[in-house]
Amino acid sequence: MKGFGPADAAFRRALRDVLGSDNVLEDPADCWPYGYDNSRRQARPEAVGFATEAGQVRDVVRLCNEAHVPLVARGRGTGTTGAAVPVAGGLVLSLERMDRILELAPDDRLIVVEPGAINRAVQEAAATAGFFWPPDPSSADYCTVGGNLAHNSAGPRAVKYGTPRENTLGLRAVTGAGEPIRAGVRTTKGVVGYDLTRLIIGSEGTLAVITEATLRLTPLPEDRRAIRALYTDIGSAAAAIARVMAQPVTPSALEYIGGLGLDLVRDSPGVRVPPDARALLLIEVDGPAGCVADAARAVAAAAKGAGLLDIEVGGRGEDAADLWAARKALSPALRGLAPKKVNEDVAVPVSRLPAFVEGVDGLSARYRIPIVNFGHAGNGNIHTNLMVDPQESGQVERAERCLSDLFNLVLALGGTLSGEHGVGLEKRAFVTREIDPVTLEVMRRVKRELDPNDILNPGKVLPEPVGPA
Amino acid sequence: MKGFGPADAAFRRALRDVLGSDNVLEDPADCWPYGYDNSRRQARPEAVGFATEAGQVRDVVRLCNEAHVPLVARGRGTGTTGAAVPVAGGLVLSLERMDRILELAPDDRLIVVEPGAINRAVQEAAATAGFFWPPDPSSADYCTVGGNLAHNSAGPRAVKYGTPRENTLGLRAVTGAGEPIRAGVRTTKGVVGYDLTRLIIGSEGTLAVITEATLRLTPLPEDRRAIRALYTDIGSAAAAIARVMAQPVTPSALEYIGGLGLDLVRDSPGVRVPPDARALLLIEVDGPAGCVADAARAVAAAAKGAGLLDIEVGGRGEDAADLWAARKALSPALRGLAPKKVNEDVAVPVSRLPAFVEGVDGLSARYRIPIVNFGHAGNGNIHTNLMVDPQESGQVERAERCLSDLFNLVLALGGTLSGEHGVGLEKRAFVTREIDPVTLEVMRRVKRELDPNDILNPGKVLPEPVGPA
């Protein structure tokens, strides 16, 4: 299956009938911009449709299902794994015009939104009632809730507040067979029928197209405090992470930057990192105004120990922002240094962080590729950046072998290949290393029931079966 | 399909081969005790097997799948919906001897247990490292983790800490086709493949038999405070619940007892409830020692408002226990009064609690059945007890009609038929009122893929399809 095939003209006409001519792009030049994501991969869809309401999504999916046309649901294309790239051609169904906030119910701690709503817009709407939705990927200003749900995208706050799976009450969605389903509830407890909500979350548009989400809200904390701790080595920092996670105050962020990352930002304005520091922890606590100072003291006490070079507990506002200077300076520095960097987001159990970082250092040396580690240490979720220079002979090939070894290392440590970016195209070939063939076969059967003709985002998430299915 | 059928002797022999003769009960008198649960329903299995390791579970499921013998996985039978009652005959596979705690990893905030481990034993093991597992059903002293997962059983702490779905990282399980699968991760983030973990949680043993669970642990709070607030009417109490849930300190419990429940316990030792009180809230906050007093003040301030009669903020230990006297006295009082009470556990959005309680009062009057409401108000999860007296002419029939109207009321208010007890047999006939036919059909297809011969707990959760499947 690739492209519209013989159904071409009739299919295009039917598509325009459902969406309206103004909501369909067919010129290849117009279609190109809807074929990329932040993985820098790109493929041209044969058409792009814009849905404005759920009934259109249902009708478009039915059209595609009948004509066996691939359909890739798309938010704003901020994903990093190629999950939104239409590698099988077909139709990209953009949900960016379905961006309404349908209901804000603060007494019930929930907000109902369309999938194209921007994360930031949801946060702003919730804030008017004193709430927030915990998932906060770094692209929150322009990524959509639908994309967040498709990838189970989290961000730094997940260490305290969880991922979309813990913060979504229910969904409306359309299966690959064009069936409109309603999963979940409007309450924080509910156990009638099977949990299709979380089955669809994280499935990267391969099981159903989300048309509405009921999100669970959390009250905005009254206050917050930032803590910055510098260590002589990763082992000391990792021990501190484990101590912080073992005491009763769960931080609202627990971010890590490794030695090479610190080298990159040492000279940036406001950063103040001494040369012997090889690991930095940025910790945030939040809560009631009367408690955050105590909470910060408890966390800072846990962060202290062997290898600590310096610890600062910030005040509010600008003072706290200062402590985050190193983290904020890092991403631009990385982009400037290695435009072709490979950004992985593996996760390992917190106790295995020292072994992980030691292992990564070994791989970096063996394959002669600088590797910058930073990320959400409280979840063991480390963004591992291979600083690949395509000009340097053989480095791309060495990077591939390095990545392969890196994944083996992560799995040997009891970790997972993706904490929050997802599989998409980037990690599809490696899924069989994490998921055994029997479990994978069960997932394939589930996929078949929700998307019998394999039209929804074909070629993603689950690897092709080996041999006869 | 019912019973062992023609495969009888061979099947029994094979079963003994897998489990050992000492681990198989075949005498009907021995089998009876494994055919009930706390729903007071009972059915006799044709045999009872006790597994002691995961390989046996796999082999027994395979035997049953080949011979088309129903298999009901069983913990300790504390469920209230008949989910563990083997209505189709066949084999009860008891997991009570698979009760080992396999690994406690405090640095990774997790514990790995077998399904037969008692909830209390898990709490005690976790507490040795300063942690707890949030789900705390009232049967925690004798219910199993496997049963908790099968029903997504929560309890009062869920308002702050979530249900099993939010507190389980991964599972090992055996599908109805006898396939051993591994779902989930050992980290708090992970998005590789589909979320089979939460699909299996809450499925009441109809999709797979859980053989191992990796549970997410939370640090034990340093301290806690109880607050008791009495109101003139449910409307005032419900407004207070919404105010409490809208401020930044989420309570660790927010329990409600309605007027009739208060009447039942008014004269119990230590209860001290004035006659004009028609609603009681029991609120608990927990957290770092230095914060709980402030947290209690914030929650108490939110609990104050129109209709408040009295509010007490307790100290620690016995002082706090005093405030819970009314809640503790209620269950024995209910059992004494109406041994045939019908205990429902519907949930409605918090904002709809006043409409719900008003509606229940109306049903109680119309059908002349006393109804006692109490439960987990912070989740909108109200245990609605119909005090049925089977001796009184026509009351059983009236109760049935009352229940039917009650469910319609709950759904009209945007609620769910079960917050945490599950569907089992009790609510199976009503599932079609909550879940639409299209969604139900998708669930049936998922069931078919995980349990192709419908051997796992047949006759539960999903209603029979109407007409040809």
Side-chain angles (χ1 to χ4, degrees):
Chain A
M1 175 179 66
K2 181 164 166 64
F4 297 171
D8 198 339
F11 176 82
R12 288 176 189 266
R13 199 160 44 239
L15 188 65
R16 286 191 299 262
D17 283 348
V18 170
L19 295 173
S21 298
D22 291 352
N23 291 318
V24 179
L25 303 177
E26 300 187 74
D27 185 318
D30 293 335
C31 291
W32 261 114
Y34 293 86
Y36 77 96
D37 71 4
N38 199 24
S39 68
R40 299 194 183 82
R41 290 175 185 250
Q42 190 155 12
R44 187 172 57 78
E46 283 147 286
V48 178
F50 298 86
T52 53
E53 49 104 352
Q56 292 177 337
V57 174
R58 179 201 58 213
D59 291 346
V60 169
V61 175
R62 283 179 183 174
L63 277 179
C64 290
N65 190 45
E66 279 157 25
H68 290 221
V69 167
L71 183 155
V72 180
R74 180 182 177 83
R76 291 282 183 165
T78 59
T80 62
T81 64
V85 176
V87 285
L91 177 73
V92 162
L93 182 62
S94 170
L95 299 161
E96 64 187 277
R97 298 184 191 172
M98 284 180 68
D99 63 350
R100 287 177 302 171
I101 288 167
L102 300 170
E103 181 189 356
L104 172 63
D107 282 357
D108 297 327
R109 288 191 170 193
L110 65 84
I111 190 166
V112 184
V113 306
E114 289 185 326
I118 301 293
N119 182 298
R120 178 67 55 212
V122 173
Q123 307 296 356
E124 286 170 1
T128 63
F131 289 86
F132 70 106
W133 187 52
D136 60 340
S138 58
S139 54
D141 286 345
Y142 29 89
C143 64
T144 65
V145 168
N148 299 164
L149 296 174
H151 298 85
N152 200 35
S153 315
R157 288 195 295 229
V159 65
K160 178 169 180 177
Y161 295 106
T163 72
R165 284 197 178 113
E166 288 82 37
N167 290 286
T168 305
L169 300 174
L171 297 175
R172 286 176 189 267
V174 177
T175 69
E179 301 151 307
I181 61 172
R182 194 173 66 89
V185 286
R186 281 172 65 92
T187 51
T188 44
K189 285 181 179 174
V191 57
V192 174
Y194 300 142
D195 187 350
L196 300 182
T197 305
R198 288 160 193 86
L199 183 66
I200 292 170
I201 293 176
S203 69
E204 302 183 10
T206 64
L207 297 179
V209 181
I210 296 168
T211 56
E212 184 185 298
T214 302
L215 307 176
R216 177 186 187 171
L217 296 179
T218 298
L220 281 165
E222 282 177 7
D223 202 0
R224 63 186 75 235
R225 286 280 190 292
I227 297 157
R228 194 183 81 146
L230 289 159
Y231 299 87
T232 51
D233 61 297
I234 167 64
S236 302
I241 293 165
R243 287 195 305 271
V244 167
M245 293 303 289
Q247 52 82 48
V249 180
T250 298
S252 49
L254 175 40
E255 300 288 294
Y256 161 78
I257 302 179
L260 202 51
L262 292 179
D263 292 340
L264 289 175
V265 297
R266 204 177 299 279
D267 299 324
S268 303
V271 167
R272 310 183 315 276
V273 173
D276 50 344
R278 301 312 295 162
L280 176 147
L281 297 185
L282 287 164
I283 317 174
E284 192 182 83
V285 295
D286 65 11
C291 294
V292 288
D294 268 359
R297 263 191 294 276
V299 167
K304 286 173 190 167
L308 180 76
L309 283 173
D310 182 49
I311 187 162
E312 276 186 89
V313 181
R316 311 169 194 201
E318 281 182 32
D319 192 11
D322 268 9
L323 298 187
W324 284 85
R327 178 70 181 81
K328 294 220 158 75
L330 187 56
S331 283
L334 284 173
R335 264 197 300 274
L337 196 74
K340 287 277 176 200
K341 75 186 167 81
V342 177
N343 176 10
E344 287 305 325
D345 88 313
V346 297
V348 296
V350 168
S351 68
R352 311 312 300 274
L353 282 172
F356 172 72
V357 173
E358 194 182 318
V360 170
D361 285 350
L363 293 177
S364 173
R366 186 187 323 160
Y367 292 107
R368 286 173 288 129
I369 293 170
I371 300 181
V372 178
N373 291 317
F374 69 96
H376 315 305
N379 300 107
N381 182 202
I382 300 297
H383 297 318
T384 303
N385 290 264
L386 278 62
M387 310 304 285
V388 180
D389 181 354
Q391 309 298 326
E392 199 187 305
S393 159
Q395 208 179 55
V396 170
E397 293 70 30
R398 290 205 308 279
E400 274 174 24
R401 283 184 288 140
C402 180
L403 206 56
S404 173
D405 284 2
L406 174 73
F407 290 152
N408 285 340
L409 170 68
V410 165
L411 295 173
L413 295 172
T416 178
L417 300 182
S418 177
E420 58 183 16
H421 291 177
V423 172
L425 295 166
E426 298 283 344
K427 292 188 184 170
R428 193 169 177 236
F430 302 101
V431 168
T432 52
R433 297 195 196 172
E434 176 163 345
I435 304 181
D436 62 87
V438 174
T439 306
L440 213 46
E441 174 55 25
V442 171
M443 291 180 181
R444 283 200 184 97
R445 297 203 308 257
V446 169
K447 157 82 173 172
R448 194 193 305 153
E449 291 296 347
L450 272 87
D451 180 25
N453 290 321
D454 193 24
I455 62 159
L456 292 183
N457 210 359
K460 310 293 171 62
V461 185
L462 302 184
E464 298 290 350
V466 179
Chain B
M1 174 179 69
K2 182 163 165 65
F4 296 172
D8 198 339
F11 176 82
R12 287 176 191 265
R13 200 163 42 241
L15 188 64
R16 286 191 300 262
D17 282 349
V18 170
L19 295 173
S21 298
D22 291 351
N23 291 317
V24 178
L25 303 178
E26 299 186 75
D27 185 319
D30 293 336
C31 291
W32 261 114
Y34 292 87
Y36 77 96
D37 71 4
N38 199 23
S39 68
R40 298 196 184 81
R41 291 176 185 250
Q42 190 156 13
R44 186 171 59 77
E46 284 148 285
V48 178
F50 299 86
T52 52
E53 50 104 350
Q56 291 177 336
V57 174
R58 179 200 59 213
D59 291 346
V60 168
V61 174
R62 284 179 182 174
L63 277 180
C64 289
N65 190 44
E66 279 159 24
H68 290 222
V69 166
L71 184 156
V72 180
R74 180 182 178 83
R76 291 281 183 165
T78 59
T80 63
T81 64
V85 176
V87 285
L91 177 73
V92 162
L93 182 62
S94 170
L95 299 162
E96 64 188 276
R97 298 184 190 170
M98 284 179 68
D99 63 351
R100 286 177 301 170
I101 289 167
L102 300 169
E103 182 189 356
L104 172 64
D107 283 357
D108 297 328
R109 287 191 171 195
L110 65 83
I111 189 167
V112 183
V113 305
E114 289 184 326
I118 302 293
N119 182 298
R120 177 69 52 213
V122 173
Q123 307 298 356
E124 285 170 1
T128 62
F131 288 86
F132 71 106
W133 188 52
D136 60 340
S138 57
S139 55
D141 285 345
Y142 29 89
C143 63
T144 65
V145 167
N148 300 163
L149 297 173
H151 298 85
N152 200 35
S153 315
R157 287 194 297 229
V159 65
K160 177 168 180 177
Y161 294 107
T163 72
R165 282 196 179 115
E166 288 83 36
N167 290 286
T168 305
L169 299 175
L171 297 175
R172 286 177 188 266
V174 177
T175 68
E179 301 152 308
I181 61 172
R182 194 173 66 89
V185 286
R186 282 173 65 93
T187 50
T188 45
K189 284 181 179 173
V191 59
V192 174
Y194 300 142
D195 187 350
L196 300 182
T197 304
R198 287 159 194 87
L199 183 66
I200 292 170
I201 293 176
S203 70
E204 304 184 9
T206 64
L207 296 178
V209 180
I210 295 168
T211 56
E212 185 184 298
T214 302
L215 307 176
R216 178 185 184 172
L217 297 179
T218 299
L220 281 166
E222 281 177 8
D223 202 359
R224 61 185 77 234
R225 287 281 189 290
I227 297 158
R228 195 184 79 146
L230 289 159
Y231 299 87
T232 52
D233 60 297
I234 167 66
S236 301
I241 293 165
R243 288 194 305 271
V244 168
M245 293 303 289
Q247 53 81 50
V249 180
T250 297
S252 49
L254 175 39
E255 299 288 295
Y256 162 78
I257 302 179
L260 201 52
L262 292 180
D263 291 341
L264 289 175
V265 298
R266 205 177 298 280
D267 299 325
S268 302
V271 168
R272 309 184 316 276
V273 173
D276 50 344
R278 303 310 294 162
L280 177 147
L281 296 185
L282 287 165
I283 316 174
E284 194 181 83
V285 295
D286 65 12
C291 294
V292 289
D294 269 0
R297 263 190 295 275
V299 167
K304 286 173 190 166
L308 180 76
L309 283 173
D310 182 49
I311 186 161
E312 278 185 88
V313 180
R316 311 171 193 199
E318 280 182 33
D319 193 10
D322 268 9
L323 298 186
W324 284 86
R327 178 71 182 80
K328 294 221 157 74
L330 188 57
S331 284
L334 284 172
R335 263 198 300 275
L337 195 73
K340 285 279 175 199
K341 74 184 167 82
V342 177
N343 175 11
E344 287 306 325
D345 89 312
V346 297
V348 296
V350 167
S351 68
R352 311 312 300 274
L353 281 173
F356 171 72
V357 172
E358 194 182 318
V360 169
D361 285 350
L363 293 176
S364 173
R366 185 188 322 160
Y367 293 106
R368 286 173 286 129
I369 292 170
I371 301 181
V372 177
N373 291 318
F374 69 95
H376 315 305
N379 298 108
N381 182 202
I382 300 297
H383 297 319
T384 303
N385 290 264
L386 279 61
M387 310 302 286
V388 181
D389 180 354
Q391 308 299 323
E392 197 187 309
S393 160
Q395 208 180 55
V396 170
E397 293 70 29
R398 291 205 308 279
E400 274 175 22
R401 284 183 289 139
C402 179
L403 206 56
S404 173
D405 284 4
L406 174 74
F407 290 152
N408 286 341
L409 170 69
V410 166
L411 294 173
L413 295 172
T416 178
L417 300 182
S418 178
E420 58 183 17
H421 291 176
V423 172
L425 296 166
E426 297 284 343
K427 293 191 183 168
R428 194 171 175 235
F430 301 100
V431 168
T432 51
R433 297 197 197 172
E434 177 163 343
I435 304 180
D436 63 88
V438 173
T439 306
L440 212 46
E441 174 55 24
V442 172
M443 291 179 181
R444 283 200 185 97
R445 297 204 307 258
V446 169
K447 156 82 173 172
R448 193 193 305 154
E449 291 296 349
L450 272 87
D451 181 25
N453 290 321
D454 193 24
I455 62 158
L456 291 184
N457 210 359
K460 309 294 170 61
V461 184
L462 302 184
E464 296 292 347
V466 179

